[in-house]
PDB file of all heavy atoms in Angstrom:
ATOM      1  N   GLU C 666     -15.172 -13.181 -14.992  1.00 90.00           N
ATOM      2  CA  GLU C 666     -13.730 -13.216 -15.186  1.00 90.00           C
ATOM      3  C   GLU C 666     -12.987 -13.120 -13.878  1.00 90.00           C
ATOM      4  O   GLU C 666     -12.005 -13.823 -13.667  1.00 90.00           O
ATOM      5  CB  GLU C 666     -13.382 -12.042 -16.082  1.00 90.00           C
ATOM      6  CG  GLU C 666     -11.995 -12.106 -16.725  1.00 90.00           C
ATOM      7  CD  GLU C 666     -11.880 -10.949 -17.721  1.00 90.00           C
ATOM      8  OE1 GLU C 666     -12.592 -10.934 -18.691  1.00 90.00           O
ATOM      9  OE2 GLU C 666     -11.056 -10.080 -17.461  1.00 90.00           O
ATOM     10  N   GLY C 668     -14.590 -12.831 -10.694  1.00 86.00           N
ATOM     11  CA  GLY C 668     -15.242 -13.300  -9.474  1.00 86.00           C
ATOM     12  C   GLY C 668     -15.851 -12.172  -8.658  1.00 86.00           C
ATOM     13  O   GLY C 668     -15.616 -10.972  -8.918  1.00 86.00           O
ATOM     14  N   TYR C 669     -16.568 -12.602  -7.645  1.00 86.00           N
ATOM     15  CA  TYR C 669     -17.274 -11.575  -6.844  1.00 86.00           C
ATOM     16  C   TYR C 669     -16.259 -10.762  -6.045  1.00 86.00           C
ATOM     17  O   TYR C 669     -16.425  -9.549  -5.875  1.00 86.00           O
ATOM     18  CB  TYR C 669     -18.252 -12.275  -5.899  1.00 86.00           C
ATOM     19  CG  TYR C 669     -18.978 -11.383  -5.031  1.00 86.00           C
ATOM     20  CD1 TYR C 669     -19.947 -10.543  -5.538  1.00 86.00           C
ATOM     21  CD2 TYR C 669     -18.753 -11.312  -3.645  1.00 86.00           C
ATOM     22  CE1 TYR C 669     -20.684  -9.684  -4.727  1.00 86.00           C
ATOM     23  CE2 TYR C 669     -19.417 -10.457  -2.874  1.00 86.00           C
ATOM     24  CZ  TYR C 669     -20.406  -9.669  -3.414  1.00 86.00           C
ATOM     25  OH  TYR C 669     -21.079  -8.835  -2.565  1.00 86.00           O
ATOM     26  N   ALA C 746     -19.966 -16.633  -7.936  1.00 91.00           N
ATOM     27  CA  ALA C 746     -20.160 -15.290  -7.445  1.00 91.00           C
ATOM     28  C   ALA C 746     -21.568 -15.138  -6.842  1.00 91.00           C
ATOM     29  O   ALA C 746     -21.773 -14.534  -5.809  1.00 91.00           O
ATOM     30  CB  ALA C 746     -19.864 -14.302  -8.476  1.00 91.00           C
ATOM     31  N   GLU C 749     -21.975 -16.880  -3.522  1.00 92.00           N
ATOM     32  CA  GLU C 749     -21.336 -16.129  -2.494  1.00 92.00           C
ATOM     33  C   GLU C 749     -22.119 -14.831  -2.145  1.00 92.00           C
ATOM     34  O   GLU C 749     -22.387 -14.530  -0.960  1.00 92.00           O
ATOM     35  CB  GLU C 749     -19.933 -15.813  -2.932  1.00 92.00           C
ATOM     36  CG  GLU C 749     -19.221 -14.618  -2.285  1.00 92.00           C
ATOM     37  CD  GLU C 749     -18.855 -14.941  -0.848  1.00 92.00           C
ATOM     38  OE1 GLU C 749     -18.986 -16.089  -0.393  1.00 92.00           O
ATOM     39  OE2 GLU C 749     -18.399 -13.976  -0.176  1.00 92.00           O
ATOM     40  N   GLU C 752     -25.209 -15.100  -0.085  1.00 91.00           N
ATOM     41  CA  GLU C 752     -25.084 -15.385   1.328  1.00 91.00           C
ATOM     42  C   GLU C 752     -25.212 -14.164   2.191  1.00 91.00           C
ATOM     43  O   GLU C 752     -25.605 -14.286   3.333  1.00 91.00           O
ATOM     44  CB  GLU C 752     -23.707 -16.018   1.515  1.00 91.00           C
ATOM     45  CG  GLU C 752     -23.572 -16.778   2.779  1.00 91.00           C
ATOM     46  CD  GLU C 752     -24.382 -18.080   2.819  1.00 91.00           C
ATOM     47  OE1 GLU C 752     -24.910 -18.464   1.731  1.00 91.00           O
ATOM     48  OE2 GLU C 752     -24.549 -18.655   3.879  1.00 91.00           O
ATOM     49  N   HIS C 753     -24.944 -13.000   1.612  1.00 88.00           N
ATOM     50  CA  HIS C 753     -24.954 -11.786   2.431  1.00 88.00           C
ATOM     51  C   HIS C 753     -25.817 -10.674   1.901  1.00 88.00           C
ATOM     52  O   HIS C 753     -25.871  -9.601   2.455  1.00 88.00           O
ATOM     53  CB  HIS C 753     -23.496 -11.245   2.578  1.00 88.00           C
ATOM     54  CG  HIS C 753     -22.619 -12.222   3.334  1.00 88.00           C
ATOM     55  ND1 HIS C 753     -21.837 -13.115   2.644  1.00 88.00           N
ATOM     56  CD2 HIS C 753     -22.438 -12.459   4.645  1.00 88.00           C
ATOM     57  CE1 HIS C 753     -21.156 -13.863   3.561  1.00 88.00           C
ATOM     58  NE2 HIS C 753     -21.514 -13.481   4.747  1.00 88.00           N
ATOM     59  N   HIS C 762     -32.501 -17.956  -5.141  1.00 95.00           N
ATOM     60  CA  HIS C 762     -33.408 -18.989  -4.674  1.00 95.00           C
ATOM     61  C   HIS C 762     -34.684 -19.065  -5.549  1.00 95.00           C
ATOM     62  O   HIS C 762     -35.190 -20.173  -5.824  1.00 95.00           O
ATOM     63  CB  HIS C 762     -33.743 -18.740  -3.211  1.00 95.00           C
ATOM     64  CG  HIS C 762     -32.602 -18.975  -2.274  1.00 95.00           C
ATOM     65  ND1 HIS C 762     -32.732 -18.925  -0.941  1.00 95.00           N
ATOM     66  CD2 HIS C 762     -31.330 -19.278  -2.555  1.00 95.00           C
ATOM     67  CE1 HIS C 762     -31.541 -19.187  -0.383  1.00 95.00           C
ATOM     68  NE2 HIS C 762     -30.644 -19.375  -1.371  1.00 95.00           N
ATOM     69  N   SER C 765     -33.798 -20.783  -8.732  1.00 94.00           N
ATOM     70  CA  SER C 765     -33.592 -22.223  -8.450  1.00 94.00           C
ATOM     71  C   SER C 765     -34.962 -22.906  -8.169  1.00 94.00           C
ATOM     72  O   SER C 765     -35.194 -24.021  -8.691  1.00 94.00           O
ATOM     73  CB  SER C 765     -32.648 -22.366  -7.189  1.00 94.00           C
ATOM     74  OG  SER C 765     -32.649 -23.634  -6.727  1.00 94.00           O
ATOM     75  N   ARG C 769     -36.762 -25.870 -10.324  1.00 96.00           N
ATOM     76  CA  ARG C 769     -37.028 -27.203  -9.695  1.00 96.00           C
ATOM     77  C   ARG C 769     -38.453 -27.575  -9.748  1.00 96.00           C
ATOM     78  O   ARG C 769     -38.806 -28.738  -9.878  1.00 96.00           O
ATOM     79  CB  ARG C 769     -36.476 -27.141  -8.271  1.00 96.00           C
ATOM     80  CG  ARG C 769     -35.967 -28.464  -7.797  1.00 96.00           C
ATOM     81  CD  ARG C 769     -35.203 -28.362  -6.486  1.00 96.00           C
ATOM     82  NE  ARG C 769     -35.978 -27.692  -5.487  1.00 96.00           N
ATOM     83  CZ  ARG C 769     -35.758 -26.469  -4.978  1.00 96.00           C
ATOM     84  NH1 ARG C 769     -34.784 -25.709  -5.463  1.00 96.00           N
ATOM     85  NH2 ARG C 769     -36.560 -25.989  -4.072  1.00 96.00           N
ATOM     86  N   ARG C 786     -40.557 -45.798 -11.316  1.00 92.00           N
ATOM     87  CA  ARG C 786     -41.113 -46.716 -10.242  1.00 92.00           C
ATOM     88  C   ARG C 786     -42.100 -45.974  -9.408  1.00 92.00           C
ATOM     89  O   ARG C 786     -41.948 -44.804  -9.079  1.00 92.00           O
ATOM     90  CB  ARG C 786     -39.941 -47.256  -9.453  1.00 92.00           C
ATOM     91  CG  ARG C 786     -39.207 -46.236  -8.574  1.00 92.00           C
ATOM     92  CD  ARG C 786     -38.125 -46.909  -7.749  1.00 92.00           C
ATOM     93  NE  ARG C 786     -37.477 -45.968  -6.864  1.00 92.00           N
ATOM     94  CZ  ARG C 786     -36.515 -45.154  -7.202  1.00 92.00           C
ATOM     95  NH1 ARG C 786     -36.091 -45.116  -8.492  1.00 92.00           N
ATOM     96  NH2 ARG C 786     -35.991 -44.366  -6.294  1.00 92.00           N
ATOM     97  N   TYR C 804     -23.882 -29.313  -8.243  1.00 98.00           N
ATOM     98  CA  TYR C 804     -22.731 -29.712  -7.411  1.00 98.00           C
ATOM     99  C   TYR C 804     -21.549 -30.033  -8.243  1.00 98.00           C
ATOM    100  O   TYR C 804     -20.409 -29.675  -7.913  1.00 98.00           O
ATOM    101  CB  TYR C 804     -23.165 -30.929  -6.606  1.00 98.00           C
ATOM    102  CG  TYR C 804     -22.077 -31.739  -5.966  1.00 98.00           C
ATOM    103  CD1 TYR C 804     -21.305 -31.163  -4.937  1.00 98.00           C
ATOM    104  CD2 TYR C 804     -21.770 -33.007  -6.350  1.00 98.00           C
ATOM    105  CE1 TYR C 804     -20.297 -31.942  -4.312  1.00 98.00           C
ATOM    106  CE2 TYR C 804     -20.769 -33.785  -5.757  1.00 98.00           C
ATOM    107  CZ  TYR C 804     -20.050 -33.194  -4.768  1.00 98.00           C
ATOM    108  OH  TYR C 804     -19.070 -33.899  -4.133  1.00 98.00           O
ATOM    109  N   ARG C 806     -20.737 -28.700 -10.961  1.00 97.00           N
ATOM    110  CA  ARG C 806     -20.206 -27.474 -11.464  1.00 97.00           C
ATOM    111  C   ARG C 806     -19.357 -26.764 -10.415  1.00 97.00           C
ATOM    112  O   ARG C 806     -18.300 -26.202 -10.620  1.00 97.00           O
ATOM    113  CB  ARG C 806     -21.260 -26.532 -11.991  1.00 97.00           C
ATOM    114  CG  ARG C 806     -20.864 -25.084 -12.234  1.00 97.00           C
ATOM    115  CD  ARG C 806     -19.857 -24.951 -13.328  1.00 97.00           C
ATOM    116  NE  ARG C 806     -19.366 -23.569 -13.508  1.00 97.00           N
ATOM    117  CZ  ARG C 806     -18.379 -23.063 -12.866  1.00 97.00           C
ATOM    118  NH1 ARG C 806     -17.763 -23.807 -11.942  1.00 97.00           N
ATOM    119  NH2 ARG C 806     -18.004 -21.817 -13.123  1.00 97.00           N
ATOM    120  N   MET C 808     -18.210 -27.896  -7.231  1.00 97.00           N
ATOM    121  CA  MET C 808     -17.222 -28.540  -6.390  1.00 97.00           C
ATOM    122  C   MET C 808     -16.538 -29.713  -6.978  1.00 97.00           C
ATOM    123  O   MET C 808     -15.993 -30.571  -6.283  1.00 97.00           O
ATOM    124  CB  MET C 808     -17.916 -28.997  -5.057  1.00 97.00           C
ATOM    125  CG  MET C 808     -18.482 -27.860  -4.248  1.00 97.00           C
ATOM    126  SD  MET C 808     -19.346 -28.340  -2.772  1.00 97.00           S
ATOM    127  CE  MET C 808     -18.036 -29.115  -1.876  1.00 97.00           C
ATOM    128  N   ASP C 810     -14.204 -31.302 -10.579  1.00 95.00           N
ATOM    129  CA  ASP C 810     -13.374 -30.959 -11.732  1.00 95.00           C
ATOM    130  C   ASP C 810     -14.167 -31.202 -13.027  1.00 95.00           C
ATOM    131  O   ASP C 810     -13.765 -30.660 -14.069  1.00 95.00           O
ATOM    132  CB  ASP C 810     -12.121 -31.896 -11.732  1.00 95.00           C
ATOM    133  CG  ASP C 810     -11.108 -31.423 -10.692  1.00 95.00           C
ATOM    134  OD1 ASP C 810     -11.097 -30.222 -10.472  1.00 95.00           O
ATOM    135  OD2 ASP C 810     -10.432 -32.315 -10.129  1.00 95.00           O
ATOM    136  N   ALA C 824     -29.784 -43.310 -13.116  1.00 94.00           N
ATOM    137  CA  ALA C 824     -29.254 -43.592 -11.778  1.00 94.00           C
ATOM    138  C   ALA C 824     -30.348 -43.240 -10.748  1.00 94.00           C
ATOM    139  O   ALA C 824     -30.401 -43.865  -9.672  1.00 94.00           O
ATOM    140  CB  ALA C 824     -27.957 -42.838 -11.524  1.00 94.00           C
TER     141      ALA C 824
ATOM    142  N   GLY D 877     -18.273 -13.351   4.684  1.00 89.00           N
ATOM    143  CA  GLY D 877     -18.096 -13.863   3.280  1.00 89.00           C
ATOM    144  C   GLY D 877     -16.752 -13.577   2.725  1.00 89.00           C
ATOM    145  O   GLY D 877     -15.955 -12.845   3.311  1.00 89.00           O
ATOM    146  N   TYR D 878     -16.540 -14.183   1.577  1.00 88.00           N
ATOM    147  CA  TYR D 878     -15.293 -14.016   0.925  1.00 88.00           C
ATOM    148  C   TYR D 878     -15.042 -12.578   0.494  1.00 88.00           C
ATOM    149  O   TYR D 878     -13.922 -12.042   0.577  1.00 88.00           O
ATOM    150  CB  TYR D 878     -15.215 -14.950  -0.281  1.00 88.00           C
ATOM    151  CG  TYR D 878     -13.913 -14.907  -0.980  1.00 88.00           C
ATOM    152  CD1 TYR D 878     -12.757 -15.424  -0.395  1.00 88.00           C
ATOM    153  CD2 TYR D 878     -13.805 -14.333  -2.241  1.00 88.00           C
ATOM    154  CE1 TYR D 878     -11.576 -15.384  -1.084  1.00 88.00           C
ATOM    155  CE2 TYR D 878     -12.630 -14.315  -2.952  1.00 88.00           C
ATOM    156  CZ  TYR D 878     -11.495 -14.830  -2.326  1.00 88.00           C
ATOM    157  OH  TYR D 878     -10.292 -14.741  -2.986  1.00 88.00           O
ATOM    158  N   GLY D 879     -16.096 -11.895   0.048  1.00 86.00           N
ATOM    159  CA  GLY D 879     -15.936 -10.535  -0.427  1.00 86.00           C
ATOM    160  C   GLY D 879     -15.571  -9.645   0.717  1.00 86.00           C
ATOM    161  O   GLY D 879     -14.745  -8.727   0.556  1.00 86.00           O
ATOM    162  N   ALA D 955     -18.074 -19.020   0.364  1.00 92.00           N
ATOM    163  CA  ALA D 955     -16.837 -18.370   0.182  1.00 92.00           C
ATOM    164  C   ALA D 955     -15.838 -19.313  -0.475  1.00 92.00           C
ATOM    165  O   ALA D 955     -15.065 -18.961  -1.373  1.00 92.00           O
ATOM    166  CB  ALA D 955     -16.293 -17.882   1.509  1.00 92.00           C
ATOM    167  N   GLU D 958     -16.636 -19.754  -4.149  1.00 92.00           N
ATOM    168  CA  GLU D 958     -16.190 -18.568  -4.902  1.00 92.00           C
ATOM    169  C   GLU D 958     -14.683 -18.494  -5.030  1.00 92.00           C
ATOM    170  O   GLU D 958     -14.101 -18.237  -6.076  1.00 92.00           O
ATOM    171  CB  GLU D 958     -16.771 -17.328  -4.213  1.00 92.00           C
ATOM    172  CG  GLU D 958     -16.033 -16.019  -4.527  1.00 92.00           C
ATOM    173  CD  GLU D 958     -16.336 -15.511  -5.889  1.00 92.00           C
ATOM    174  OE1 GLU D 958     -17.116 -16.154  -6.594  1.00 92.00           O
ATOM    175  OE2 GLU D 958     -15.730 -14.486  -6.261  1.00 92.00           O
ATOM    176  N   GLU D 961     -12.876 -20.678  -7.484  1.00 91.00           N
ATOM    177  CA  GLU D 961     -13.048 -20.338  -8.868  1.00 91.00           C
ATOM    178  C   GLU D 961     -11.820 -19.605  -9.417  1.00 91.00           C
ATOM    179  O   GLU D 961     -11.539 -19.697 -10.626  1.00 91.00           O
ATOM    180  CB  GLU D 961     -14.290 -19.484  -9.026  1.00 91.00           C
ATOM    181  CG  GLU D 961     -14.839 -19.448 -10.428  1.00 91.00           C
ATOM    182  CD  GLU D 961     -15.408 -20.767 -10.849  1.00 91.00           C
ATOM    183  OE1 GLU D 961     -15.615 -21.672 -10.027  1.00 91.00           O
ATOM    184  OE2 GLU D 961     -15.711 -20.917 -12.051  1.00 91.00           O
ATOM    185  N   HIS D 962     -11.073 -18.976  -8.575  1.00 88.00           N
ATOM    186  CA  HIS D 962      -9.982 -18.179  -9.039  1.00 88.00           C
ATOM    187  C   HIS D 962      -8.650 -18.463  -8.373  1.00 88.00           C
ATOM    188  O   HIS D 962      -7.625 -17.855  -8.680  1.00 88.00           O
ATOM    189  CB  HIS D 962     -10.299 -16.700  -8.877  1.00 88.00           C
ATOM    190  CG  HIS D 962     -11.455 -16.266  -9.675  1.00 88.00           C
ATOM    191  ND1 HIS D 962     -12.738 -16.126  -9.214  1.00 88.00           N
ATOM    192  CD2 HIS D 962     -11.551 -15.874 -10.995  1.00 88.00           C
ATOM    193  CE1 HIS D 962     -13.540 -15.720 -10.129  1.00 88.00           C
ATOM    194  NE2 HIS D 962     -12.850 -15.556 -11.267  1.00 88.00           N
ATOM    195  N   HIS D 971     -11.968 -29.463  -4.279  1.00 95.00           N
ATOM    196  CA  HIS D 971     -12.301 -30.578  -5.128  1.00 95.00           C
ATOM    197  C   HIS D 971     -11.740 -31.843  -4.473  1.00 95.00           C
ATOM    198  O   HIS D 971     -12.436 -32.915  -4.552  1.00 95.00           O
ATOM    199  CB  HIS D 971     -11.674 -30.394  -6.520  1.00 95.00           C
ATOM    200  CG  HIS D 971     -12.363 -29.342  -7.308  1.00 95.00           C
ATOM    201  ND1 HIS D 971     -12.071 -29.022  -8.601  1.00 95.00           N
ATOM    202  CD2 HIS D 971     -13.366 -28.455  -6.963  1.00 95.00           C
ATOM    203  CE1 HIS D 971     -12.831 -28.063  -9.043  1.00 95.00           C
ATOM    204  NE2 HIS D 971     -13.663 -27.704  -8.050  1.00 95.00           N
ATOM    205  N   SER D 974     -14.102 -32.790  -1.739  1.00 94.00           N
ATOM    206  CA  SER D 974     -15.348 -33.269  -2.303  1.00 94.00           C
ATOM    207  C   SER D 974     -15.171 -34.689  -2.906  1.00 94.00           C
ATOM    208  O   SER D 974     -16.018 -35.545  -2.729  1.00 94.00           O
ATOM    209  CB  SER D 974     -15.753 -32.251  -3.394  1.00 94.00           C
ATOM    210  OG  SER D 974     -16.823 -32.744  -4.142  1.00 94.00           O
ATOM    211  N   ARG D 978     -16.887 -38.194  -1.720  1.00 96.00           N
ATOM    212  CA  ARG D 978     -17.743 -38.854  -2.675  1.00 96.00           C
ATOM    213  C   ARG D 978     -17.302 -40.310  -2.921  1.00 96.00           C
ATOM    214  O   ARG D 978     -18.113 -41.171  -3.112  1.00 96.00           O
ATOM    215  CB  ARG D 978     -17.827 -38.079  -4.010  1.00 96.00           C
ATOM    216  CG  ARG D 978     -19.153 -38.166  -4.683  1.00 96.00           C
ATOM    217  CD  ARG D 978     -19.243 -37.204  -5.838  1.00 96.00           C
ATOM    218  NE  ARG D 978     -18.191 -37.291  -6.773  1.00 96.00           N
ATOM    219  CZ  ARG D 978     -17.231 -36.393  -6.856  1.00 96.00           C
ATOM    220  NH1 ARG D 978     -17.185 -35.298  -6.135  1.00 96.00           N
ATOM    221  NH2 ARG D 978     -16.285 -36.543  -7.754  1.00 96.00           N
ATOM    222  N   ARG D 995     -31.505 -51.692  -5.933  1.00 92.00           N
ATOM    223  CA  ARG D 995     -31.821 -52.316  -7.206  1.00 92.00           C
ATOM    224  C   ARG D 995     -30.585 -52.590  -8.008  1.00 92.00           C
ATOM    225  O   ARG D 995     -29.663 -51.795  -8.044  1.00 92.00           O
ATOM    226  CB  ARG D 995     -32.829 -51.492  -8.034  1.00 92.00           C
ATOM    227  CG  ARG D 995     -32.249 -50.154  -8.498  1.00 92.00           C
ATOM    228  CD  ARG D 995     -33.288 -49.426  -9.277  1.00 92.00           C
ATOM    229  NE  ARG D 995     -32.786 -48.142  -9.907  1.00 92.00           N
ATOM    230  CZ  ARG D 995     -32.642 -47.012  -9.264  1.00 92.00           C
ATOM    231  NH1 ARG D 995     -32.975 -46.904  -7.951  1.00 92.00           N
ATOM    232  NH2 ARG D 995     -32.120 -45.986  -9.858  1.00 92.00           N
ATOM    233  N   TYR D1013     -26.460 -28.757  -2.911  1.00 98.00           N
ATOM    234  CA  TYR D1013     -27.288 -27.799  -3.614  1.00 98.00           C
ATOM    235  C   TYR D1013     -28.338 -27.162  -2.719  1.00 98.00           C
ATOM    236  O   TYR D1013     -28.570 -25.943  -2.793  1.00 98.00           O
ATOM    237  CB  TYR D1013     -27.966 -28.565  -4.761  1.00 98.00           C
ATOM    238  CG  TYR D1013     -29.132 -27.903  -5.412  1.00 98.00           C
ATOM    239  CD1 TYR D1013     -28.955 -26.755  -6.226  1.00 98.00           C
ATOM    240  CD2 TYR D1013     -30.423 -28.430  -5.329  1.00 98.00           C
ATOM    241  CE1 TYR D1013     -30.054 -26.135  -6.827  1.00 98.00           C
ATOM    242  CE2 TYR D1013     -31.515 -27.800  -5.928  1.00 98.00           C
ATOM    243  CZ  TYR D1013     -31.329 -26.686  -6.668  1.00 98.00           C
ATOM    244  OH  TYR D1013     -32.399 -26.121  -7.290  1.00 98.00           O
ATOM    245  N   ARG D1015     -28.041 -26.504   0.300  1.00 97.00           N
ATOM    246  CA  ARG D1015     -27.402 -25.505   1.146  1.00 97.00           C
ATOM    247  C   ARG D1015     -27.079 -24.263   0.372  1.00 97.00           C
ATOM    248  O   ARG D1015     -27.269 -23.152   0.896  1.00 97.00           O
ATOM    249  CB  ARG D1015     -26.097 -26.064   1.693  1.00 97.00           C
ATOM    250  CG  ARG D1015     -25.153 -25.072   2.357  1.00 97.00           C
ATOM    251  CD  ARG D1015     -25.749 -24.467   3.627  1.00 97.00           C
ATOM    252  NE  ARG D1015     -24.896 -23.443   4.166  1.00 97.00           N
ATOM    253  CZ  ARG D1015     -24.911 -22.170   3.808  1.00 97.00           C
ATOM    254  NH1 ARG D1015     -25.750 -21.798   2.840  1.00 97.00           N
ATOM    255  NH2 ARG D1015     -24.129 -21.278   4.381  1.00 97.00           N
ATOM    256  N   MET D1017     -28.260 -23.116  -2.798  1.00 97.00           N
ATOM    257  CA  MET D1017     -29.151 -22.388  -3.646  1.00 97.00           C
ATOM    258  C   MET D1017     -30.600 -22.535  -3.242  1.00 97.00           C
ATOM    259  O   MET D1017     -31.569 -22.374  -4.047  1.00 97.00           O
ATOM    260  CB  MET D1017     -29.023 -22.879  -5.102  1.00 97.00           C
ATOM    261  CG  MET D1017     -27.615 -22.538  -5.640  1.00 97.00           C
ATOM    262  SD  MET D1017     -27.359 -23.171  -7.304  1.00 97.00           S
ATOM    263  CE  MET D1017     -28.629 -22.262  -8.254  1.00 97.00           C
ATOM    264  N   ASP D1019     -33.650 -22.300   0.157  1.00 95.00           N
ATOM    265  CA  ASP D1019     -33.989 -21.753   1.429  1.00 95.00           C
ATOM    266  C   ASP D1019     -34.017 -22.770   2.519  1.00 95.00           C
ATOM    267  O   ASP D1019     -33.898 -22.430   3.702  1.00 95.00           O
ATOM    268  CB  ASP D1019     -35.426 -21.165   1.361  1.00 95.00           C
ATOM    269  CG  ASP D1019     -35.445 -19.824   0.673  1.00 95.00           C
ATOM    270  OD1 ASP D1019     -34.436 -19.135   0.718  1.00 95.00           O
ATOM    271  OD2 ASP D1019     -36.460 -19.535   0.045  1.00 95.00           O
ATOM    272  N   ALA D1033     -35.514 -41.864  -2.282  1.00 94.00           N
ATOM    273  CA  ALA D1033     -35.841 -41.260  -3.592  1.00 94.00           C
ATOM    274  C   ALA D1033     -34.794 -41.683  -4.650  1.00 94.00           C
ATOM    275  O   ALA D1033     -35.140 -41.823  -5.795  1.00 94.00           O
ATOM    276  CB  ALA D1033     -35.882 -39.712  -3.500  1.00 94.00           C
TER     277      ALA D1033
END
Side-chain angles (χ1 to χ4, degrees):
Chain C
E666 198 174 294
Y669 181 69
E749 158 73 5
E752 199 68 13
H753 297 95
H762 290 186
S765 172
R769 211 169 54 252
R786 66 178 184 278
Y804 165 67
R806 166 66 185 85
M808 296 178 62
D810 285 328
Chain D
Y878 181 70
E958 159 71 3
E961 200 67 12
H962 296 96
H971 290 185
S974 171
R978 211 169 54 251
R995 66 180 185 277
Y1013 165 69
R1015 167 66 184 86
M1017 296 177 63
D1019 284 329

